[in-house]
């Protein structure tokens, strides 16, 4: 079956066109293809299907084979994929996910999609709480943007030992479904620097839903305004929380890396 490797700010996935045929055991395939030594190498697998409720439906699987409700960097790449492969001929699209139907606006030049704006819908924040992880107390703000996130603030985010800390947040007993965790340093009210430990994939270079959770948590706690640049290891995302419709809008790049075939 043919595949396309794409990335949004270095958050890379293998993309499959499942509009005509679908391979079996998608979780197992995600584990196999994501392996950076024995597979294609990626943070997971994204499959594109027809939809009864929207123009397309996407399913995303993390590198460990678990299924996520939504993927912010991935859905931008889905927009680029369907447009450039000729599966869609409009620059306004809808994509069904386990977190609802999302609206995409593709920004294309000479037939190539460079950036995509996604209406990520309404965030669902919960009251802050304190967690003990590795003997330290961390104040976290839980926020669902369709998938689960917790956001915590500190200085010196670059020096954080995420490989040791991340798994303990992900599997903390307070979150039976596991969680994505964003570690944030406020650079200024309109620039937030973050690192992310993703549920099911570990540290990634960027997380679109995570960046939306960070903007929401920062605005609610008075650390930022309702629009900011979120600086991730793989680059910047522009995030805006609209006051009129309460939706979060994310704008960022989508890039094709290479195509291939697996047996
Ligand atoms: N990288 C993604 C999020 C992928 C899903 C996440 N790991 C989960 O399990 O919820 C993004 O860009 O949003």
């Amino acid at each position: 079956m043919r595949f396309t490797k794409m990335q949004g700010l270095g958050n890379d996935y293998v993309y499959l066109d499942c509009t005509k045929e679908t391979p079996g055991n998608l979780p197992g395939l995600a584990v196999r293809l994501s392996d950076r030594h024995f597979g294609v190498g990626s943070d997971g697998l994204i499959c594109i299907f027809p939809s009864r409720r929207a123009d397309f439906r996407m399913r995303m699987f993390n590198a460990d084979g678990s299924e996520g409700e939504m993927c912010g960097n991935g859905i931008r790449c889905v927009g680029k994929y369907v447009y450039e492969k000729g599966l869609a001929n409009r620059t306004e699209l809808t994509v069904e996910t386990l977190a609802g139907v999302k609206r995409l606006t593709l920004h294309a030049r000479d037939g190539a999609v460079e950036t995509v704006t996604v209406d990520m819908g309404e965030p669902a924040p919960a009251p802050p709480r304190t967690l003990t992880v590795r003997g330290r107390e961390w104040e976290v703000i839980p926020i669902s943007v369709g998938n689960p996130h917790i956001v915590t603030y500190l200085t010196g985010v670059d020096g954080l030992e995420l490989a040791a800390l991340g798994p303990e947040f992900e599997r903390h007993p307070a979150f039976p479904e596991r969680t994505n965790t964003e570690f944030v340093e406020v650079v200024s009210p309109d620039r937030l620097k973050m690192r992310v430990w993703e549920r099911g994939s570990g540290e990634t270079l960027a997380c679109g839903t995570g960046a939306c959770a960070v903007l929401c948590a920062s605005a609610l706690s008075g650390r930022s305004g309702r629009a900011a640049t979120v600086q991730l290891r793989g680059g910047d995302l522009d995030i805006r929380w609209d006051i009129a419709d309460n939706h979060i809008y994310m704008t960022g790049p989508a890039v094709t890396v290479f195509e291939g075939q697996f047996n």
Side-chain angles (χ1 to χ4, degrees):
M1 183 164 191
R2 293 201 62 76
F3 71 86
T4 302
K5 165 91 179 266
M6 304 181 82
Q7 55 93 1
L9 302 178
N11 188 200
D12 57 345
Y13 294 93
V14 172
Y15 290 76
L16 299 184
D17 177 352
C18 297
T19 56
K20 293 179 190 70
E21 54 166 335
T22 309
N25 188 12
L26 293 176
L29 193 58
V31 173
R32 177 157 79 90
L33 296 180
S34 298
D35 191 297
R36 294 196 186 272
H37 300 287
F38 296 99
V40 177
S42 65
D43 292 326
L45 172 69
I46 292 186
C47 302
I48 303 168
F49 296 91
S51 169
R52 291 207 181 107
R53 298 172 59 206
D55 296 318
F56 297 94
R57 178 167 73 94
M58 73 176 243
R59 289 181 70 187
M60 80 80 48
F61 298 87
N62 293 306
D64 70 354
S66 60
E67 185 164 8
E69 297 87 343
M70 175 50 188
C71 179
N73 291 319
I75 202 168
R76 296 197 313 277
C77 291
V78 168
K80 179 181 176 75
Y81 184 104
V82 296
Y83 186 79
E84 293 186 4
K85 297 275 184 200
L87 300 174
N89 57 11
R90 286 178 288 110
T91 54
E92 300 282 333
L93 294 174
T94 52
V95 177
E96 179 186 351
T97 72
L98 288 177
V101 174
K102 308 296 176 193
R103 295 190 167 277
L104 277 59
T105 304
L106 314 181
H107 309 290
R109 191 193 305 191
D110 300 329
V113 174
E114 295 178 344
T115 59
V116 179
T117 300
V118 184
D119 176 348
M120 301 285 282
E122 294 192 57
R129 58 187 297 175
T130 303
L131 301 181
T132 304
V133 173
R134 295 205 138 216
R136 178 174 160 186
E137 297 209 321
W138 303 75
E139 184 176 291
V140 303
I141 304 177
I143 299 199
S144 170
V145 286
N147 59 350
H149 292 265
I150 54 175
V151 179
T152 190
Y153 294 88
L154 68 155
T155 51
V157 79
D158 285 329
L160 209 57
E161 283 187 52
L162 219 51
L165 277 172
E168 298 205 21
F169 280 91
E170 178 182 354
R171 296 185 177 276
H172 194 284
F175 308 105
E177 304 296 316
R178 299 192 283 156
T179 187
N180 301 288
T181 310
E182 285 77 43
F183 299 87
V184 186
E185 186 168 338
V186 178
V187 179
S188 68
D190 63 0
R191 179 163 278 271
L192 305 163
K193 182 174 175 178
M194 67 170 261
R195 282 173 71 190
V196 60
W197 183 268
E198 281 197 36
R199 176 177 68 169
S201 293
E203 182 170 20
T204 61
L205 294 185
C207 178
T209 50
C212 295
V214 164
L215 186 275
C216 178
S218 303
L220 286 174
S221 61
R223 291 177 168 97
S224 77
R226 293 182 70 102
T229 299
V230 179
Q231 179 183 327
L232 302 112
R233 289 209 138 174
D236 291 350
L237 280 176
D238 289 322
I239 313 289
R240 180 173 66 82
W241 187 8
D242 193 274
I243 205 154
D245 65 9
N246 199 37
H247 287 207
I248 297 198
Y249 292 83
M250 168 194 66
T251 302
V255 176
T256 301
V257 186
F258 61 86
E259 305 204 321
Q261 189 170 316
F262 63 85
N263 300 314

